[in-house]
Amino acid sequence: MDNQIITKRLSDLRTAERGVITKVYGHGSFRKRIIEMGFVRGKCVTVIKNAPFQDPVEYEIMGYHIALRRSEAQLIEVSVSDAPAAACRMEANRTFEDESANRFLHQAGHVINVALVGNPNSGKTSLFNSASGSRERVGNYGGVTVDAKTATMRRNGYTIHLVDLPGTYSLTEYSPEELYVREHILQKMPDVVINVVDASNLERNLYLTTQLIDMDMKVVIALNMYDELEQADAQFDYPLLGQMIGIPIVPTVAAKEQGIDTLFDTVIDVFEDNEPTVRHIHINYGEDVERSIGLLQDMIWQNSDVVARYSSRYLAIKLLEGDRATVNVSKECKNYFEIEEAARREASRIEKAYGERVETVITDAKYGFIAGALQETYAGDPTLKNQRASRIDRVLTNRWLGIPIFIAILWLMFQTTFTLGGYPMEWIESLFAGLGNVISTAMPDGTLKELIVDGIIGGVGGVIVFLPNILILFLFISFMEDTGYMARAAFIMDRAMHKIGLHGKSFIPLLMGFGCGVPAIMATRTLESRKDRILTMMIVPFMSCSARLPVYTLLIAAFFPTNQGLILLSIYAIGTLIGILSSVVLKNLFFRKEEAPFVMELPPYRWPTVKSVARHTWGKGVQYLKKMGSVILIASVIVWALMTYPKQPEIIPNDPALHASVAQADLPSEEQQAAEQQEQSYIGQLGHLIEPAIRPLGFDWRIGVSLLSGFAAKEIVVSTMAVLTGAGEDEASLTENLQGQTYTSGPKAGEKVFTPLVAYTMMIFILLYFPCAAAIAAIRKEAGWRWALFSVLYTTSLAWILSFLVYQIGSRFV
């Protein structure tokens, strides 16, 4: 029977418990001392006893008894099993006595934690996908990865836990991404960091590398997009650069899955300390700065607990820069006040000597180091890679042509969504109608038949027909992302964004909102200012997400036979306009004017691979299908049940007022009975409860119930309408049922519910009212409950007011 293996920290072991050392974390002198004492991977260690105050702890290793503080033992990882004694018995030749013990050490010592770090747009997420087989979204602009993604892969007997961290230009505290990446590296202490470097932009990308050098991490550089460097006829002696900086460099082309195997073979070699290139170097910051660094290091070294977890040189550099997060770390030092005073004094001395802030002095030294290294290893014209982009940008970002071209691209996207998507829509619609007829004919009448035909086929089938439209929309969005046009759209809109109090980079999350509001809200993390993040979050719901597209497509196809692309574009344009006006209002109400500079990379244009575009598009399609089989299926069944129960004779056997109001509609007796059942059902009662609030908008109770169901997901609006109108029980489509839907009671009994004006008003309401539950949860996570609640109340109030104006004013002219 296999032994169970558990990974712990050495400090967690109890007296007499033993384990096998799998990793030693920590930095510098601590790591060197601990390894020299025999705490190396594969050695067995036993807890002997604790000191009277539980610190330090006495351990036995290699026949010696050694005392360690708990803070030091915390940095040593061990694995224990059900049979630790067997696992620790080793012969002189270091082979184990039994196969279970051999397997134990193999598994315990063959786990590598790897962090992917790199600049935005360096191909980091592409590399993550290629290595792990994941399906994370990839875009040719910054800010795609806004949270850490994880995957597990196996190679050469090793289990590699891979973490894709957000893209960042540096490891300062300028943005939440930078702080997040830095905290992950310092706190999680990955075994190896893969620094993904864009081969076509070495000087800027290597700045992040210099910060990893300061942190004294085990690093492997993935020289990504190496094919672009070769196409530019540049000569780059990357092995020599690797020797100079002590970091192995592996060329990769992640989009084509080239170099991935070699990269992870190198990661394993670095982890095993078998890579000859690896050595720790110090970047020389000049005599004055180095003297200050040394002085602070001497003071930091007096705190063994701190230097065990952090590089003393890195802490000294960040303290000179006045980094607040590092100042908080230094508060753990027993001589904190002395360190703080020394850091302030030395920073002042450096600034007087150079006439610049310390951060500027250190940054200049880093770029000087990079320039010197590249001068010896790189030969080529770095401007060549931008020549093609410059020629294209002269047209696409032109002062006069940029915005018209952008609008034309959006119109083409929406028009194609309708015209090209219309054909497969008809096929899917016919398929589900035929399926409903087959089941209706084959099954006997009863509740089960009604559930399957009306609830499941009618509800889910009414939404799934819009899958082609969703795929076409995301095909366009994916293509714009991968080519680099998204970043140009942000550039084009920057001036307009500043006019409404937002940062130019806010345009990227807003544009992502046309796909889905949840990742768009999360993408606001790329904005440095909290004001910009919250403002952008508040107007993301006005960017019509793909979940609303089925509602628009249904209503436009049913009531607007011509100019369908323009009608849809007008809805999106109104949402954008409302978002702009809301930003101005909210800025003046809640925030002082404070603008961050527009700093956003315009990446080179790249022709996207078919695989990348197809993966992104189909990934969204799969998400849509999963929603069909879960949220929308459940919601359709619930709506059907609420519409079916209680059965009419059971609740009001004789209601003359109801019979009279239904009779006014002049319906056949069978339809009268169905309408009466709907009116008296639970969902009918709920609909009539809210009907007074929506009647001024031209809506009846069935529209009101459909709108309420959109809280879970906006596609459910369509499935609810399908269930309420009986789509799926005969050959009539949902479109035809909506066109024939009439009021069953009140002064308008017998009149058509939907007209083009009512349909357009409903689309306006759908566009503006409260976000779905997932988007509300995302706002709560990013900004707190107050802003989440405000978003619900504000958007819904705005939706009612604007819909009221559209319907009431429109009624005067039609």
Side-chain angles (χ1 to χ4, degrees):
M1 181 177 177
D2 290 344
N3 299 324
Q4 184 181 4
I5 299 172
I6 303 171
T7 300
K8 296 182 178 181
R9 293 302 172 101
L10 182 58
S11 57
D12 296 329
L13 297 187
R14 299 183 301 273
T15 300
E17 192 173 6
R18 62 179 59 184
V20 174
I21 297 173
T22 55
K23 290 177 188 173
V24 177
Y25 297 96
H27 292 273
S29 58
F30 162 78
R31 182 180 174 85
K32 182 179 179 181
R33 177 175 62 86
I34 217 75
I35 290 175
E36 288 173 347
M37 292 167 63
F39 288 87
V40 294
R41 194 155 56 91
K43 296 294 184 181
C44 182
V45 59
T46 305
V47 181
I48 302 300
K49 63 176 180 292
N50 291 279
F53 294 101
Q54 303 300 308
D55 205 1
V57 181
E58 182 181 341
Y59 300 96
E60 180 184 5
I61 186 168
M62 299 174 65
Y64 294 93
H65 285 214
I66 299 172
L68 291 181
R69 292 184 177 181
R70 285 192 176 274
S71 59
E72 295 175 326
Q74 174 68 23
L75 296 174
I76 299 174
E77 182 183 273
V78 297
S79 290
V80 298
S81 75
D82 296 338
C88 288
R89 289 197 300 268
M90 290 190 290
E91 299 174 352
N93 63 359
R94 293 180 57 81
T95 59
F96 288 87
E97 293 181 357
D98 57 55
E99 183 59 31
S100 64
N102 200 9
R103 183 188 64 83
F104 168 74
L105 180 58
H106 176 80
Q107 291 188 16
H110 284 64
V111 176
I112 309 176
N113 298 315
V114 178
L116 280 177
V117 175
N119 283 193
N121 197 46
S122 62
K124 182 171 51 60
T125 302
S126 291
L127 194 150
F128 177 80
N129 288 338
S130 298
S132 64
S134 298
R135 295 291 183 268
E136 296 302 332
R137 191 165 58 86
V138 177
N140 188 18
Y141 62 95
V144 173
T145 307
V146 294
D147 205 350
K149 309 294 190 301
T150 60
T152 299
M153 55 183 290
R154 288 172 176 79
R155 181 169 183 81
N156 298 342
Y158 289 83
T159 298
I160 299 175
H161 297 304
L162 197 60
V163 180
D164 179 22
L165 295 172
T168 177
Y169 293 106
S170 70
L171 297 176
T172 59
E173 54 180 4
Y174 186 55
S175 72
E177 278 69 35
E178 293 173 346
L179 204 53
Y180 182 90
V181 173
R182 187 171 76 177
E183 288 301 305
H184 180 92
I185 293 173
L186 293 176
Q187 302 300 328
K188 300 296 184 181
M189 296 184 187
D191 300 310
V192 181
V193 172
I194 296 180
N195 180 201
V196 184
V197 170
D198 181 357
S200 66
N201 206 336
L202 290 169
E203 187 171 13
R204 192 205 61 210
N205 277 242
L206 287 172
Y207 180 77
L208 180 59
T209 309
T210 62
Q211 295 181 313
L212 293 172
I213 290 173
D214 288 339
M215 298 174 80
D216 191 14
M217 305 299 301
K218 282 187 174 182
V219 180
V220 177
I221 290 178
L223 191 62
N224 202 29
M225 306 180 198
Y226 189 69
D227 54 339
E228 294 186 11
L229 186 144
E230 293 178 316
Q231 292 167 10
D233 294 326
Q235 303 297 319
F236 183 34
D237 190 350
Y238 63 84
L240 177 58
L241 178 63
Q243 293 173 12
M244 292 171 60
I245 64 177
I247 298 174
I249 301 176
V250 181
T252 61
V253 184
K256 300 177 182 177
E257 300 185 358
Q258 296 176 3
I260 305 299
D261 291 342
T262 304
L263 174 66
F264 282 93
D265 287 342
T266 306
V267 167
I268 293 171
D269 287 339
V270 170
F271 174 73
E272 293 284 5
D273 294 320
N274 290 331
E275 172 54 56
T277 306
V278 174
R279 64 191 178 94
H280 180 53
I281 68 166
H282 288 172
I283 298 170
N284 192 320
Y285 294 110
E287 184 178 347
D288 286 335
V289 177
E290 288 294 335
R291 188 176 74 183
S292 298
I293 292 173
L295 186 149
L296 289 174
Q297 278 188 279
D298 289 339
M299 303 175 73
I300 294 170
W301 277 333
Q302 298 176 31
N303 304 271
S304 58
D305 290 356
V306 173
V307 297
R309 291 180 286 123
Y310 305 98
S311 163
S312 60
R313 181 174 175 84
Y314 172 75
L315 291 180
I317 292 169
K318 302 310 289 183
L319 285 171
L320 286 173
E321 292 179 340
D323 183 87
R324 287 174 296 179
T326 307
V327 170
N328 290 334
V329 170
S330 68
K331 290 179 180 178
E332 301 176 24
C333 297
K334 58 186 178 184
N335 54 346
Y336 161 67
F337 295 106
E338 297 173 31
I339 293 174
E340 182 188 35
E341 174 60 30
R344 189 164 46 243
R345 183 180 64 249
E346 292 301 308
S348 177
R349 182 182 63 80
I350 292 170
E351 289 175 354
K352 286 181 181 178
Y354 286 87
E356 298 276 5
R357 292 179 60 84
V358 177
E359 304 99 297
T360 304
V361 174
I362 292 176
T363 299
D364 288 345
K366 287 182 184 292
Y367 276 113
F369 170 81
I370 294 168
L374 290 179
Q375 190 171 7
E376 295 187 37
T377 58
Y378 181 88
D381 185 356
T383 64
L384 290 176
K385 66 182 177 65
N386 292 321
Q387 289 181 358
R388 182 180 64 172
S390 298
R391 289 194 298 269
I392 300 174
D393 281 341
R394 278 198 289 269
V395 178
L396 294 183
T397 61
N398 182 273
R399 180 180 179 184
W400 305 108
L401 297 176
I403 292 180
I405 290 174
F406 178 56
I407 294 174
I409 290 173
L410 292 181
W411 173 84
L412 177 64
M413 178 172 70
F414 296 137
Q415 189 64 37
T416 305
T417 297
F418 266 103
T419 55
L420 190 60
Y423 299 106
M425 271 186 65
E426 293 177 2
W427 304 334
I428 297 173
E429 195 172 61
S430 300
L431 175 65
F432 273 86
L435 180 62
N437 288 331
V438 169
I439 294 178
S440 293
T441 304
M443 291 186 67
D445 291 340
T447 302
L448 180 60
K449 174 182 173 180
E450 293 175 6
L451 169 63
I452 295 175
V453 176
D454 297 338
I456 297 176
I457 295 178
V460 176
V463 182
I464 204 171
V465 295
F466 301 103
L467 177 62
N469 305 88
I470 298 293
L471 293 177
I472 292 172
L473 178 69
F474 276 104
L475 180 68
F476 271 89
I477 292 177
S478 176
F479 187 81
M480 288 193 291
E481 289 175 348
D482 290 358
T483 56
Y485 183 71
M486 280 290 202
R488 270 71 186 183
F491 175 80
I492 292 168
M493 299 301 295
D494 175 53
R495 187 169 184 178
M497 300 298 285
H498 275 290
K499 292 288 186 183
I500 64 173
L502 284 176
H503 194 287
K505 285 200 289 188
S506 295
F507 189 71
I508 292 295
L510 295 180
L511 205 54
M512 289 174 66
F514 289 130
C516 179
V518 175
I521 290 165
M522 294 174 63
T524 59
R525 297 178 191 172
T526 59
L527 303 171
E528 290 80 12
S529 165
R530 175 172 169 79
K531 180 265 297 186
D532 286 333
R533 289 197 295 275
I534 292 178
L535 269 181
T536 306
M537 269 183 259
M538 290 301 102
I539 63 176
V540 159
F542 298 129
M543 305 300 112
S544 198
C545 67
S546 60
R548 293 176 168 98
L549 184 60
V551 188
Y552 303 152
T553 306
L554 172 67
L555 295 176
I556 291 174
F559 302 103
F560 299 93
T562 60
N563 298 319
Q564 294 177 329
L566 285 176
I567 296 293
L568 183 58
L569 181 58
S570 72
I571 295 295
Y572 280 77
I574 289 172
T576 304
L577 179 61
I578 294 298
I580 290 171
L581 296 176
S582 294
S583 177
V584 174
V585 172
L586 295 176
K587 182 193 72 171
N588 291 328
L589 283 177
F590 298 111
F591 302 100
R592 295 193 305 269
K593 187 174 181 180
E594 46 179 81
E595 293 189 359
F598 180 73
V599 181
M600 183 170 181
E601 175 192 3
L602 291 181
Y605 287 100
R606 295 188 174 98
W607 192 257
T609 63
V610 175
K611 183 176 181 179
S612 173
V613 174
R615 174 186 286 173
H616 182 196
T617 304
W618 180 241
K620 293 299 180 183
V622 169
Q623 289 180 16
Y624 191 71
L625 290 173
K626 285 180 178 178
K627 193 181 285 188
M628 296 301 104
S630 56
V631 176
I632 292 174
L633 173 61
I634 294 171
S636 298
V637 172
I638 292 173
V639 169
W640 171 85
L642 292 175
M643 184 185 72
T644 304
Y645 296 100
K647 294 290 188 180
Q648 185 224 339
E650 298 176 9
I651 70 166
I652 302 180
N654 188 17
D655 187 343
L658 173 64
H659 285 279
S661 65
V662 173
Q664 290 180 39
D666 194 25
L667 299 175
S669 58
E670 186 176 335
E671 293 186 23
Q672 280 189 19
Q673 186 177 3
E676 194 170 322
Q677 169 61 42
Q678 277 196 3
E679 295 268 359
Q680 287 300 315
S681 67
Y682 291 126
I683 205 166
Q685 296 175 50
L686 175 63
H688 285 296
L689 182 66
I690 65 173
E691 191 173 26
I694 59 175
R695 263 295 166 89
L697 313 182
F699 303 160
D700 74 339
W701 67 269
R702 283 170 290 194
I703 294 178
V705 170
S706 300
L707 293 173
L708 278 180
S709 68
F711 178 77
K714 292 298 179 281
E715 299 99 332
I716 297 177
V717 173
V718 175
S719 64
T720 303
M721 294 170 72
V723 173
L724 289 176
T725 59
E729 64 185 10
D730 53 39
E731 293 185 358
S733 67
L734 175 55
T735 299
E736 294 169 337
N737 286 343
L738 289 182
Q739 291 169 341
Q741 184 174 320
T742 59
Y743 289 100
T744 58
S745 61
K748 290 188 176 182
E751 296 181 21
K752 299 281 188 182
V753 173
F754 279 101
T755 64
L757 176 60
V758 172
Y760 197 82
T761 304
M762 184 176 177
M763 286 191 286
I764 294 294
F765 197 91
I766 290 285
L767 165 73
L768 300 177
Y769 82 138
F770 51 74
C772 68
I776 295 169
I779 295 174
R780 183 206 63 78
K781 180 180 178 182
E782 300 297 324
W785 272 114
R786 290 174 57 195
W787 285 110
L789 181 61
F790 174 81
S791 177
V792 172
L793 297 176
Y794 177 68
T795 55
T796 306
S797 301
L798 204 57
W800 193 94
I801 292 170
L802 192 61
S803 299
F804 176 81
L805 293 175
V806 168
Y807 179 73
Q808 294 298 331
I809 295 174
S811 299
R812 302 294 186 268
F813 297 95
V814 295

